[in-house]
Amino acid sequence: MKLLRVGPAGAERPALLDGAGVLRDLSELVDDIDGRLLADDAALARVREAAAVGSLPELAADGLRTGAPLGRIGKIVCIGLNYTDHAAETGAKAPAEPVIFMKAPDTVVGPDDTVLVPRNSRKMDWEVELAIVIGRTARYLSSHEEALAAVAGYATSHDVSEREFQTERGGQWDKGKNCETFNPLGPWLVTADEIPDPQALALKLWVNGELQQNGSTADQIFPVAEVVRYVSQFMTLYPGDVINTGTPAGVAMGRPEPKPYLRAGDVVELEVEGLGRQRQTLEQA
């Protein structure tokens, strides 16, 4: 299923995109698309059945905002330097173990919402990523099979970064990763049954119409199953948690000088194969 949330920010309603590309209203069946729903097999079965028999009312999509496809996100765990080519372009060695950092859930916005350039920003960068959405409580997982069983679905994620804040202002990476609007998510949460191989997905990103990133999840150093298993050794994952799995080469930081960092007025478009496309216009905070 392709699950999504539509409507004004803070007042989104749950919806489904059916096989014909028609937007369907789920608000009579479920309160929201969130961890509680993803952990409820019976509720998900009711949604699937209603979609299959065509009983869901149609929603007029014209002019309707698409929000992030997941509400009440618990935490966002991020994996850094998870593509060999991206590590190389930044001058870093490929890590022996996954690099983990966190983003606050309040960085999440809709896939086409405005992204704000922070005040005093000089090195704002783009990163297209595959996001994992957790659907089962996961702690100390012992196998890749257990890890994949904990995955509810996947989404397109934009891990926006401010490199000067991240690496030149002291401390950890948090200052460059947690500015407001720094994690557009969606448009859809695609359930795991529709993505038989998460290691065979193309990722692309354009800035002002020019292709900047063109990679594949096949090139991840630590694949989805290992990422989920590994993270569960250090923290408990709950339904509604999100894991951003890293970005391929092609970011501004990896380019020759003068590096083409983002500025107000730029337009960023990105997609992960099968998970939908985003488009953001940048404005000054």
Side-chain angles (χ1 to χ4, degrees):
M1 295 185 292
K2 291 181 174 68
L3 304 173
L4 64 163
R5 300 164 71 245
V6 295
E12 296 91 346
R13 65 168 57 185
L16 177 145
L17 193 69
D18 70 16
V22 176
L23 189 64
R24 302 288 181 179
D25 190 359
L26 291 180
S27 58
E28 293 184 1
L29 283 180
V30 300
D31 293 333
D32 203 354
I33 310 298
D34 57 12
R36 182 173 55 182
L37 172 66
L38 299 177
D40 188 339
D41 290 336
L44 288 172
R46 289 194 296 270
V47 171
R48 285 193 174 92
E49 181 179 2
V53 301
S55 63
L56 296 170
E58 183 175 346
L59 278 171
D62 291 347
L64 190 61
R65 170 184 173 271
T66 300
L70 184 65
R72 303 185 184 94
I73 295 171
K75 56 181 171 288
I76 303 171
V77 184
C78 301
I79 307 300
L81 303 173
N82 197 26
Y83 289 74
T84 303
D85 56 1
H86 174 58
E89 74 174 347
T90 63
K93 292 183 179 179
E97 297 187 39
V99 175
I100 295 176
F101 63 94
M102 309 288 285
K103 294 189 90 158
D106 63 9
T107 61
V108 171
V109 293
D112 302 323
D113 287 348
T114 298
V115 168
L116 296 176
V117 179
R119 296 177 187 179
N120 302 312
S121 169
R122 296 192 304 146
K123 298 182 179 181
M124 185 171 169
D125 209 345
W126 58 81
E127 294 189 25
V128 57
E129 305 202 7
L130 169 68
I132 303 166
V133 180
I134 299 299
R136 296 288 182 273
T137 299
R139 55 169 64 84
Y140 299 113
L141 300 176
S142 61
S143 69
H144 287 176
E145 291 75 19
E146 286 185 323
L148 291 177
V151 175
Y154 303 94
T156 299
S157 185
H158 188 183
D159 176 21
V160 186
S161 306
E162 213 299 341
R163 304 301 190 184
E164 182 182 39
F165 295 0
Q166 178 184 351
T167 63
E168 301 174 33
R169 299 291 297 273
Q172 299 178 333
W173 289 2
D174 293 3
K175 285 181 281 190
K177 294 288 188 174
N178 283 280
C179 303
E180 57 183 328
T181 74
F182 263 31
N183 203 149
L185 188 68
W188 315 315
L189 190 168
V190 180
T191 51
D193 58 295
E194 290 200 16
I195 308 295
D197 185 1
Q199 304 311 137
L201 304 177
L203 307 90
K204 295 183 179 181
L205 182 145
W206 298 260
V207 178
N208 300 327
E210 183 176 346
L211 183 64
Q212 302 288 350
Q213 289 184 279
N214 186 8
S216 170
T217 56
D219 298 325
Q220 288 184 336
I221 298 170
F222 305 104
V224 164
E226 175 58 13
V227 164
V228 176
R229 186 207 67 79
Y230 182 88
V231 171
S232 78
Q233 309 306 306
F234 300 93
M235 65 190 79
T236 302
L237 295 169
Y238 295 101
D241 286 350
V242 173
I243 304 176
N244 288 337
T245 60
T247 199
V251 300
M253 183 172 61
R255 303 300 174 86
E257 297 289 351
K259 300 179 189 295
Y261 288 115
L262 294 168
R263 296 289 183 264
D266 287 341
V267 176
V268 181
E269 298 171 273
L270 58 145
E271 64 184 17
V272 178
E273 183 179 357
L275 305 180
R277 190 177 178 104
Q278 303 184 0
R279 184 181 191 275
Q280 297 116 32
T281 300
L282 276 62
E283 294 183 4
Q284 188 63 48

